[in-house]
Amino acid sequence: MRLSVVVPCYNEEAVIDRFDQQLRASLDRLGVGYELCYVDDGSADNTLTRLRALRVEHPANTRYLSFSRNFGKEAAMLAGLRAARGDAVVLMDADLQHRPELIGRMLELHRQGHDQVVAKRDRSCDKAVRGLLSRLYYRAVNRWVDVPLASGVGDFRLLSRAAVDALLALPESNRFSKGLFSWIGFDTVTFDCRDAEREGGGGSRWRFRSLLDYGMDGLISFNNRPLRLAIHTGLALAALAGAYAAWVVVTALTGGVSVPGYVTLVAIIAGLGGLQMLMLGLIGEYIGRIYYETKRRPHYLVKETGEVGAAPGTAAPGSGTGRGADPGTGAGTDPGTGTGAGPAAVPAEDLEP
Ligand code: UDP
Ligand code: MG
């Protein structure tokens, strides 16, 4: 059995060497064949230089891809999954928050027949506010979405080849991995692990804004229940308006018409206006998603790859299109013959030997 480890890296020059050493030490102890697939997500620091050096140091089992700019962790994970050729793939962060020692446990559970082995962290290292917000978010979101999303369950997981192929066969360009992992199903097992502090400095690479967007994605990527909510709110308001109108008619019949009602009117108009804007925005979100899906832009652009066995630092411009991601490409192919060199624009998923 051969294991692929996919590692998205964004500005991780400070920690990447240490991570690589610890990871290799853990994997060597396990005695499995492995390849490391690093994905440089358009880092502004020397991460790419470090990756090139790592590949020169361990040419037999190190590969990397480098994006033309920062495309986000989702894109980096997708590129890594496409590149991975192992019979099982471990996804992990470069900041040592995902401890390489746990891979042994994951493999053990995988060998017992589980297709997805997921590490669940206890959030003890999250900043208090972020931890609280995350917990509240998951509690709220699970009422709304069709696929369950668990708090503390991140991207640190082992996927069997079948699960990876299932993920790669999903064509959407808006990828919310947490939901996708849950959506594909398969035999999933979760084990608890201690949270670790981020290393490599600079705090989480997520900006608050991108976390908010991520949260929104989680809410609406997987269901149309918010749209249902709009319909239900409309029905409830119509019922309320009917009752209010009846009450006004009855009081007018019994007590005559009284003119006051200015505050009520203004409040109702303003309230309804706000609600309409909210619902419009919601519909707009869905339309926006359709818009992006129809563009069919690639998820990322690759500016350089370093393959096993190729000359170091060969550049191969290419793109990671969402289409034609043939599940299973590269699975089981001989890992010793990759070239990764290509003068023309080659889709990233075609870079396999
Ligand atoms: N990352 C990435 N692209 C980004 C942001 C992050 O590839 O735009 C990588 C990052 O290098 C790390 C992993 O994703 O390996 C998780 O990032 P981080 O530790 O900052 O996130 P957190 O642990 O706070 O969820
Ligand atoms: Mg982290």
Side-chain angles (χ1 to χ4, degrees):
M1 181 183 146
R2 196 174 158 84
L3 188 69
S4 296
V5 182
V6 168
V7 190
C9 316
Y10 180 49
N11 293 344
E12 304 286 10
E13 65 173 357
V15 73
I16 194 82
D17 287 332
R18 205 146 31 99
F19 168 81
D20 187 80
Q21 272 168 15
Q22 293 190 16
L23 179 60
R24 280 175 207 277
S26 294
L27 291 170
D28 288 338
R29 266 198 300 278
L30 291 174
V32 284
Y34 63 86
E35 60 166 8
L36 307 188
C37 307
Y38 287 103
V39 183
D40 164 40
D41 186 9
S43 300
D45 64 2
N46 284 320
T47 304
L48 178 56
T49 320
R50 299 306 321 141
L51 293 183
R52 286 188 194 125
L54 285 174
R55 207 186 77 79
V56 171
E57 215 177 306
H58 308 276
N61 54 13
T62 312
R63 307 161 64 197
Y64 69 82
L65 285 170
S66 179
F67 288 175
S68 61
R69 65 167 172 87
N70 181 243
F71 281 90
K73 188 183 173 189
E74 291 290 343
M77 287 195 299
L78 176 66
L81 286 178
R82 282 182 180 159
R85 301 176 186 137
D87 308 305
V89 180
V90 171
L91 275 172
M92 65 194 299
D93 291 357
D95 58 2
L96 290 170
Q97 270 185 317
H98 297 165
R99 287 180 294 126
E101 309 89 86
L102 294 175
I103 294 178
R105 175 112 185 83
M106 289 181 155
L107 265 182
E108 204 179 291
L109 288 163
H110 173 58
R111 288 196 176 118
Q112 288 169 18
H114 302 287
D115 285 289
Q116 288 204 56
V117 184
V118 188
K120 182 171 192 283
R121 65 197 184 90
D122 54 17
R123 287 197 182 277
S124 56
C125 289
D126 272 0
K127 295 225 170 63
V129 183
R130 182 172 161 185
L132 180 74
L133 283 180
S134 301
R135 262 192 290 267
L136 285 177
Y137 170 77
Y138 283 107
R139 196 169 298 172
V141 97
N142 275 317
R143 292 181 175 212
W144 292 104
V145 299
D146 301 328
V147 288
L149 302 177
S151 175
V153 167
D155 302 317
F156 187 23
R157 62 183 67 218
L158 179 147
L159 299 163
S160 67
R161 179 42 58 189
V164 172
D165 289 347
L167 274 177
L168 293 182
L170 300 179
E172 55 235 81
S173 64
N174 196 309
R175 295 185 85 86
F176 181 71
S177 281
K178 242 180 201 224
L180 296 179
F181 290 141
S182 179
W183 187 88
I184 59 166
F186 285 100
D187 190 338
T188 305
V189 62
T190 306
F191 69 94
D192 291 310
C193 68
R194 193 170 42 81
D195 207 358
E197 281 292 353
R198 174 177 232 293
E199 296 188 33
S204 172
R205 297 295 183 263
W206 288 87
R207 277 155 295 163
F208 186 64
R209 178 77 221 236
S210 32
L211 266 182
L212 271 187
D213 287 346
Y214 189 71
M216 196 68 161
D217 277 347
L219 255 181
I220 60 183
S221 291
F222 279 88
N223 67 110
N224 59 2
R225 280 200 211 172
L227 290 176
R228 285 275 161 74
L229 177 73
I231 296 177
H232 293 163
T233 317
L235 284 176
L237 277 175
L240 273 176
Y244 182 64
W247 181 75
V248 171
V249 170
V250 170
T251 46
L253 287 178
T254 52
V257 178
S258 57
V259 179
Y262 174 73
V263 177
T264 324
L265 264 181
V266 168
I268 289 175
I269 290 173
L272 282 183
L275 207 65
Q276 276 171 343
M277 291 303 243
L278 186 86
M279 299 307 175
L280 258 184
L282 189 71
I283 297 169
E285 269 293 329
Y286 282 95
I287 295 178
R289 263 145 229 271
I290 300 172
Y291 171 65
Y292 281 113
E293 292 294 333
T294 51
K295 281 203 213 193
R296 294 229 144 277
R297 289 239 176 103
H299 294 95
Y300 51 83
L301 294 171
V302 176
K303 74 170 178 203
E304 180 178 326
T305 61
E307 284 295 322
V308 171
T314 35
S319 64
T321 47
R323 281 161 297 168
D326 178 16
T329 35
T333 46
D334 178 9
T337 55
T339 61
V346 185
E349 62 265 40
D350 293 342
L351 287 172
E352 274 97 16

